[in-house]
Amino acid sequence: MRVVIAEDNALLREGLVLLLTSAGHEVVAVAGTGPEVMPAVLEHRPDIAVLDVRMPPGFRDEGLRAALEARKEIPGLPVLVLSQYVEESYAAELLGGGTSGVGYLLKDRVGRVDEFLDALERVAGGGTALDPEVVTELLTRRKNTPLDSLTPRERETLKLMAEGHDNATIAKTLVVTERAVHKHIGNVFLKLGLPPSDSGHRRVLAVLAYLAHTPQA
């Protein structure tokens, strides 16, 4: 796939280029500052953009802003955002713009090559990839919401769904049958008041959207 990388740390940027090219992908452009992102994305129309949240000149949220702007200019553009720390507000804002083809990973995850490449391909294919630590933050910081009614196993199931895993992977992770996973998912959506007509990947996206818009206490 064709990738645009936006990362101000030269070492990490070059490491990403090497990692992606070694995996058979084509890095069509790199950007070292926030203002460089949009011209690169608009010129190359990549299959996915990988962006650091904080970039020059302000080192605040330039990468995130670029990701949101890019998705407005190129609807449906898959973006995988990297962050040094769990920053819930950034994750929620990114998810609020639509969860199809969106990823939010901590930079430490890049070092786990197989996990990172899997997340990259999942997002490029229109799926989702949220860092497990980000999902944990989204779940544990919500108070006085329907999430409180979930059993521990249902919360585990929701967490894995939010990370973008399918039923078979969830079953393997929890060491239960897929039938049991299907039952847990049904209970999760019933308790969260989500439409029973949602199925498969759309149900995962509905959960992510719900978490992104649930107000904090």
Side-chain angles (χ1 to χ4, degrees):
M1 72 183 74
R2 302 170 69 254
V3 186
V4 165
I5 296 174
E7 167 61 56
D8 66 287
N9 184 299
L11 184 60
L12 179 56
R13 184 172 64 241
E14 293 307 311
L16 284 169
V17 171
L18 179 60
L19 172 61
L20 294 178
T21 53
S22 297
H25 303 303
E26 179 185 2
V27 178
V28 295
V30 295
T33 68
E36 295 175 19
V37 175
M38 281 306 299
V41 169
L42 291 176
E43 177 182 352
H44 295 282
R45 304 274 169 159
D47 297 311
I48 186 170
V50 180
L51 310 98
D52 185 8
V53 166
R54 299 187 178 190
M55 298 184 67
F59 292 100
R60 292 188 295 272
D61 59 359
E62 287 82 357
L64 176 69
R65 295 293 160 213
L68 296 173
E69 184 181 355
R71 284 172 65 84
K72 287 182 180 178
E73 292 293 327
I74 307 176
L77 172 70
V79 295
L80 178 56
V81 172
L82 304 178
S83 179
Q84 189 69 41
Y85 310 103
V86 176
E87 299 181 82
E88 183 187 351
S89 61
Y90 291 162
E93 187 163 3
L94 184 65
L95 292 170
T99 53
S100 178
V102 171
Y104 185 101
L105 299 180
L106 296 183
K107 289 186 176 181
D108 287 348
R109 199 68 52 183
V110 176
R112 304 174 189 180
V113 176
D114 290 341
E115 290 183 31
F116 174 71
L117 292 176
D118 176 68
L120 182 83
E121 293 173 5
R122 192 188 313 156
V123 172
T128 57
L130 288 186
D131 195 286
E133 290 188 37
V134 174
V135 176
T136 298
E137 289 289 337
L138 287 170
L139 286 172
T140 58
R141 292 186 186 182
R142 307 303 183 181
K143 302 300 180 182
N144 301 318
T145 76
L147 293 174
D148 296 337
S149 67
L150 301 182
T151 66
R153 181 46 61 93
E154 289 165 357
R155 290 176 71 89
E156 287 181 304
T157 300
L158 174 59
K159 179 176 182 292
L160 290 168
M161 288 172 65
E163 290 170 21
H165 299 299
D166 58 21
N167 286 13
T169 303
I170 294 173
K172 183 177 180 180
T173 302
L174 298 181
V175 195
V176 297
T177 65
E178 287 192 48
R179 183 176 180 179
V181 170
H182 182 76
K183 181 180 179 180
H184 291 319
I185 291 174
N187 290 338
V188 166
F189 281 92
L190 180 64
K191 291 179 179 180
L192 296 186
L194 295 169
S197 58
D198 285 331
S199 61
H201 185 61
R202 288 193 301 173
R203 296 201 306 178
V204 177
L205 301 183
V207 170
L208 294 175
Y210 177 85
L211 292 175
H213 288 95
T214 302
Q216 289 180 255

